[in-house]
Amino acid sequence: MPTSQPQQILGACPHDCPDTCALISTVVKGQVIKVQGNPAHAPTAGTLCTKVSRYAERTYHPERVLQPLKRVGPKGAGQFEPVSWDSAMREIADRLQRIAERDPQGIVPYSYAGTMGLVQGESMAARFFNRLGATQLDRTICASAGGEGLLQTLGGKVGMKVEFFAQARLIIIWGSNSIGSNLHFWRHAQEAKRQGARLVCIDPRRTETADKCHEHIALMPGTDAALALALMHELIVHDWLDHDYLARYTLGWPALRERALQWSPERAAQVCAVPVAQIRQLACAYGQTRPAAIRLNYGMQRVRGGGNATRAIACLPALTGAWRNPAGGLLLSSSGHFPVERAALQRPDLLGDRRPRTLNMSTLGDDLLRPASDAFGPRMDALIVYNSNPAAVAPESGKVVRGLARDDLFTVVLEHFHTDTADYADYVLPATTQLEHWDIHTSYGHTDVLLNRPAVAPLGQALPNTEIFRRLARQMGFGEPCFDDDDLTLCRAAFDGRVNFNTLLEQGFASLPLPDAPFAQGGFFTPSTRCEFFSQRLADQGLDGLPDHVPNWELAGSSTRYPLAMISPPARHFLNSSFVNVKSLRDIETEPVLEIHPDDAATRGITGACVVKVFNERGAYHCKARISTRARPGLVVGLGIWWRKLSLRGTNVNELTSQHLSDLGRAPTFYDCLVQVEMQHAELEPAK
Ligand SMILES: Nc1nc2c(c(=O)[nH]1)N[C@H]1C(S)=C(S)[C@@H](COP(=O)(O)OP(=O)(O)OC[C@H]3O[C@@H](n4cnc5c(=O)[nH]c(N)nc54)[C@H](O)[C@@H]3O)O[C@H]1N2
Ligand SMILES: Nc1nc2c(c(=O)[nH]1)N[C@H]1C(S)=C(S)[C@@H](COP(=O)(O)OP(=O)(O)OC[C@H]3O[C@@H](n4cnc5c(=O)[nH]c(N)nc54)[C@H](O)[C@@H]3O)O[C@H]1N2
Ligand SMILES: [Mo]
């Protein structure tokens, strides 16, 4: 019952970001008028990023999809007419039923982290697809190379507690633009800096974070393992080692030592294209400063050798015994600390003895275009997309879009907005936002569980993802009682009493009970409980048991046609492709840009902010050149991830990226990409 007294509702930010902030929504007369950070939640500390402080603008956006829609125009044209929920459910279920009678593996779910919520993510949806026997999706698009690297070395996605970075004396910010993508960590780094800590940033791009560090090492993309091995080389040569820690808590030291001794700073300097003195200085600082902490982020693992690079870097704190101190060690992701009951949420038992195929979400382009075969199985007949915008975010998007345009493909998209992907749907189903549904959250940047309460009733005819899959299940005749579980039941099932639910209901968050220095005395999550420099599990698969430098698929300098390395990290005011359609945020980012170094611009006659064509054999992308030393020589930076239809000529940077996969984890290699850049004389207007 709406009252005129302002009400404050506790929630959690759903977005794919390490910070997972606690929210307070102010509701007046049934409408959210303000979304703020919860001051009582330590990691949030009462502040939000610019994007999420505009969350009400996103939720009440005039272009929200608020009723089920059915396609009336050609695929991709975005022409729809409204239909009732009943007919949409009936027609979709009919079509899926017919496909399932041939082979349910023809039906493919496609989802990622539009919401990180455990309930609106993979709970009822997974139950539905498991019961159906649909293709399983390998969700690799973001973190699986680094995740696998951590798993092999530390035993899981585990690391330092983020608040202790404030007490470190040296912080290495490695492959992370913290100010842009991990703002609440940056607070701790600033605190350390005020106390006299030294900050070093390792990033091919001179980011706003690099600007604020004492030192910036602008290595070429995909060369981080070489740098890490050279640091080890120096630690060994100067005996900046914690021999006791190495003996007690690590595995494979003699072999790693031998490997590292092959990586002199001179050799690494050549590979990384940085001055050798920078490597020596960093090694000296890392070897001699206590406590020293590494904030690694996923930016460094989106290359062919991303898994090995993560392994190499994750070994470093064990060489110096940095883990002994709560303010020493490394943090890439903390998500492995959470005891989530995934099987209870997702019910893999509903598969029975069926073992459907698994497709990799990072090769969607090829897979959509692949015919049926013994090796592949049935052609993709139906694609059900939720929490993701593959037309914009998946690599080699020219192929993704050609696949989505297939007339014989049946596509259903659960969305808030008419995204590039929704334009290709046969049905677009209106989903609720975080202000309209229940959910429960882990984090990959801190160690608190958060509960999200709905602040307002669903807008228009929108429904939570869970309810859409419940209704589809009912329509398909799935009678198992698990399809009746409501969202609050699912929230409770996520931790099954291992986190106090009353605390969550009362204050919106609850901290996991964890030691301050989790690996001070070993206790890694590996089979040996040691930090595994050498991985027997990898060796058993015929892979290198030790970390090494694995050069990029598209190695800078290897092609005269495409001489520039391109990376496409996040634009600060977008969240992947989310928020691109929020005007106040798009106005800050202005337009799609390519940062190019003045030398590389000059040799191409590029002067000022002209339109350029960026291209390789996979496609072409038009955007504005921004001549800037943020891009080092030999490197261009196409900040992501614009909606295709809001860009020049209807393409975005993923037109250029490849479907090559990483060394470990079957991950995409967005930042392992060679291009050429050419000036365009004609002014191009945005498509829309
Ligand atoms: N504002 C904002 N925040 C975000 C996101 C967003 O889109 N916008 N995305 C979210 C998501 S999905 C994720 S996964 C997380 C983490 O997402 P990340 O991709 O880690 O994002 P960034 O922290 O921006 O870090 C990427 C940094 O790595 C650098 N980089 C690129 N290649 C290399 C390399 O080979 N080596 C090294 N050392 N550095 C390299 C880039 O220049 C960039 O500055 O952030 C989340 N936070
Ligand atoms: N070139 C390049 N490409 C990249 C990257 C890069 O750095 N460079 N980064 C990669 C990374 S790290 C990631 S994580 C992926 C991200 O890829 P995605 O996970 O696809 O992320 P978004 O683009 O934010 O799209 C999420 C969509 O989910 C919708 N959504 C949000 N909440 C809900 C909900 O409750 N229900 C439903 N039904 N929909 C919802 C949003 O409206 C949005 O359109 O992109 C990858 N692609
Ligand atoms: Mo991501």
Side-chain angles (χ1 to χ4, degrees):
M1 184 59 138
T3 67
S4 52
Q5 284 301 311
Q7 278 181 292
Q8 301 217 304
I9 310 292
L10 299 177
C13 176
H15 284 291
D16 187 351
C17 166
D19 296 12
T20 314
C21 290
L23 306 181
I24 299 181
S25 298
T26 305
V27 181
V28 176
K29 294 186 184 159
Q31 176 127 351
V32 175
I33 57 158
K34 199 161 54 181
V35 177
Q36 290 166 294
N38 185 346
H41 182 236
T44 307
T47 41
L48 294 180
C49 66
T50 316
K51 303 177 292 298
V52 175
S53 60
R54 311 276 166 88
Y55 210 76
E57 190 182 339
R58 187 178 186 277
T59 293
Y60 295 104
H61 195 293
E63 289 163 14
R64 264 290 291 279
V65 178
L66 291 177
Q67 53 191 338
L69 300 170
K70 181 179 179 169
R71 179 168 66 88
V72 289
K75 292 221 171 182
Q79 293 160 6
F80 297 97
E81 68 180 18
V83 285
S84 69
W85 268 114
D86 280 351
S87 1
M89 291 291 103
R90 200 172 47 244
E91 289 163 27
I92 294 169
D94 271 0
R95 184 73 181 255
L96 296 182
Q97 205 101 52
R98 272 184 286 142
I99 297 170
E101 278 161 19
R102 283 198 306 274
D103 186 341
Q105 298 175 104
I107 300 167
V108 182
Y110 198 93
S111 69
Y112 201 64
T115 168
M116 299 279 291
L118 295 170
V119 171
Q120 304 306 334
E122 310 307 327
S123 66
M124 205 48 88
R127 293 179 181 186
F128 177 80
F129 292 111
N130 284 334
R131 171 65 178 77
L132 189 57
T135 289
Q136 303 269 315
L137 188 70
D138 196 4
R139 291 182 170 80
T140 55
I141 203 157
C142 169
S144 63
E148 183 70 17
L150 284 189
L151 179 73
Q152 297 302 334
T153 313
L154 308 180
K157 290 181 178 170
V158 290
M160 283 174 65
K161 287 173 98 171
V162 67
E163 57 269 32
F164 288 108
F165 276 87
Q167 296 168 28
R169 303 291 300 162
L170 171 70
I171 300 181
I172 304 179
I173 299 179
W174 201 323
S176 170
N177 180 8
S178 315
I179 296 179
S181 310
N182 189 191
L183 191 62
H184 295 76
F185 157 76
W186 180 246
R187 214 165 32 94
H188 300 304
Q190 270 179 309
E191 173 62 24
K193 194 179 172 192
R194 277 195 293 274
Q195 307 286 329
R198 186 171 174 76
L199 269 52
V200 181
C201 178
I202 302 175
D203 194 311
R205 175 175 185 247
R206 188 170 55 75
T207 60
E208 52 267 60
T209 308
D211 283 339
K212 296 209 159 53
C213 290
H214 297 99
E215 174 119 25
H216 174 211
I217 302 182
L219 77 191
M220 284 298 275
T223 62
D224 300 86
L227 175 59
L229 286 159
L231 295 179
M232 292 181 205
H233 180 282
E234 291 301 278
L235 297 176
I236 296 165
V237 167
H238 296 277
D239 198 24
W240 292 318
L241 299 168
D242 184 332
H243 293 280
D244 180 61
Y245 196 93
L246 282 167
R248 285 173 191 245
Y249 307 128
T250 71
L251 188 83
W253 172 235
L256 179 65
R257 184 177 182 280
E258 205 171 302
R259 170 75 48 94
L261 285 174
Q262 296 165 16
W263 281 93
S264 66
E266 287 75 13
R267 181 178 174 201
Q270 280 232 308
V271 169
C272 304
V274 298
V276 67
Q278 267 195 324
I279 300 181
R280 290 191 194 284
Q281 278 161 17
L282 179 62
C284 180
Y286 190 69
Q288 300 197 299
T289 312
R290 300 278 182 282
I294 300 174
R295 181 54 168 115
L296 195 57
N297 213 336
Y298 288 113
M300 45 63 65
Q301 48 98 67
R302 304 193 207 293
V303 292
R304 181 186 181 190
N308 265 280
T310 307
R311 290 179 68 202
I313 297 165
C315 292
L316 285 168
L319 267 68
T320 60
W323 290 116
R324 290 186 191 271
N325 192 304
L330 169 142
L331 177 64
L332 168 54
S333 166
S334 55
S335 66
H337 286 294
F338 293 85
V340 179
E341 299 282 347
R342 281 190 210 283
L345 290 173
Q346 306 181 357
R347 299 292 306 271
D349 58 294
L350 293 167
L351 281 167
D353 50 16
R354 297 168 300 174
R355 290 292 170 267
R357 70 172 167 192
T358 298
L359 292 180
N360 187 339
M361 70 186 303
S362 302
T363 53
L364 178 67
D366 279 341
D367 290 344
L368 277 170
L369 298 170
R370 231 185 271 282
S373 70
D374 288 343
F376 182 62
R379 187 163 199 189
M380 280 172 67
D381 293 315
L383 188 70
I384 317 288
V385 182
Y386 52 103
N387 303 339
S388 185
N389 183 11
V393 306
E396 205 172 357
S397 51
K399 283 192 178 167
V400 175
V401 163
R402 261 203 290 147
L404 290 174
R406 272 176 43 201
D407 260 327
D408 60 347
L409 178 75
F410 179 63
T411 304
V412 179
V413 177
L414 285 61
E415 251 302 344
H416 301 150
F417 293 108
H418 290 278
T419 59
D420 290 328
T421 307
D423 282 347
Y424 287 87
D426 292 280
Y427 289 86
V428 183
L429 302 177
T432 45
T433 71
Q434 191 78 345
L435 302 184
E436 303 152 69
H437 55 224
W438 283 98
D439 217 328
I440 191 163
H441 290 255
T442 61
S443 164
Y444 60 103
H446 59 68
T447 44
D448 294 346
V449 176
L450 279 80
L451 185 72
N452 183 74
R453 286 170 183 267
V456 291
L459 268 59
Q461 297 180 41
L463 292 175
N465 291 342
T466 43
E467 178 59 18
I468 298 176
F469 283 106
R470 250 180 233 118
R471 289 188 186 191
L472 267 181
R474 205 168 306 138
Q475 196 72 44
M476 303 279 288
F478 299 165
E480 290 78 1
C482 71
F483 290 106
D484 296 328
D485 287 351
D486 64 17
D487 286 3
L488 201 50
T489 305
L490 291 168
C491 285
R492 287 181 189 276
F495 291 96
D496 191 27
R498 297 165 83 175
V499 173
N500 188 321
F501 205 76
N502 287 333
T503 309
L504 289 174
L505 284 169
E506 279 156 29
Q507 63 172 23
F509 57 89
S511 299
L512 297 177
L514 293 173
D516 288 347
F519 309 123
Q521 293 167 314
F524 291 95
F525 292 15
T526 52
S528 64
T529 76
R530 290 164 177 247
C531 178
E532 297 197 352
F533 298 149
F534 179 85
S535 165
Q536 190 58 49
R537 287 174 289 172
L538 290 180
D540 289 346
Q541 295 167 45
L543 299 169
D544 196 342
L546 291 169
D548 204 353
H549 169 60
V550 178
N552 277 3
W553 289 111
E554 302 192 357
L555 194 56
S558 67
S559 159
T560 46
R561 290 171 70 194
Y562 306 117
L564 295 169
M566 185 191 77
I567 57 172
S568 45
R572 181 172 175 183
H573 299 94
F574 301 151
L575 197 295
N576 299 317
S577 79
S578 297
F579 296 102
V580 179
N581 62 326
V582 174
K583 186 158 183 317
S584 66
L585 295 168
R586 191 166 70 246
D587 286 348
I588 306 176
E589 295 294 340
T590 63
E591 57 195 339
V593 292
L594 185 82
E595 294 173 345
I596 184 166
H597 188 271
D599 295 349
D600 290 319
T603 55
R604 289 167 178 78
I606 297 166
T607 50
C610 58
V611 174
V612 288
K613 175 179 164 187
V614 194
F615 62 99
N616 58 23
E617 70 274 12
R618 289 178 288 271
Y621 167 50
H622 292 82
C623 59
K624 276 277 174 72
R626 183 183 284 166
I627 300 173
S628 162
T629 53
R630 291 208 178 278
R632 53 159 292 158
L635 178 85
V636 290
V637 182
L639 292 176
I641 307 174
W642 283 77
W643 285 17
R644 293 164 65 90
K645 61 182 166 183
L646 294 176
S647 308
L648 301 172
R649 291 208 179 164
T651 57
N652 74 10
V653 73
N654 277 322
E655 198 75 16
L656 304 168
T657 53
S658 81
Q659 294 178 76
H660 287 310
L661 299 178
S662 58
D663 55 348
L664 300 174
R666 308 161 307 281
T669 54
F670 292 110
Y671 304 166
D672 180 339
C673 178
L674 291 182
V675 300
Q676 180 58 292
V677 181
E678 218 174 69
M679 174 132 155
Q680 295 287 288
H681 293 281
E683 268 297 313
L684 293 174
E685 285 306 313
K688 195 169 156 190

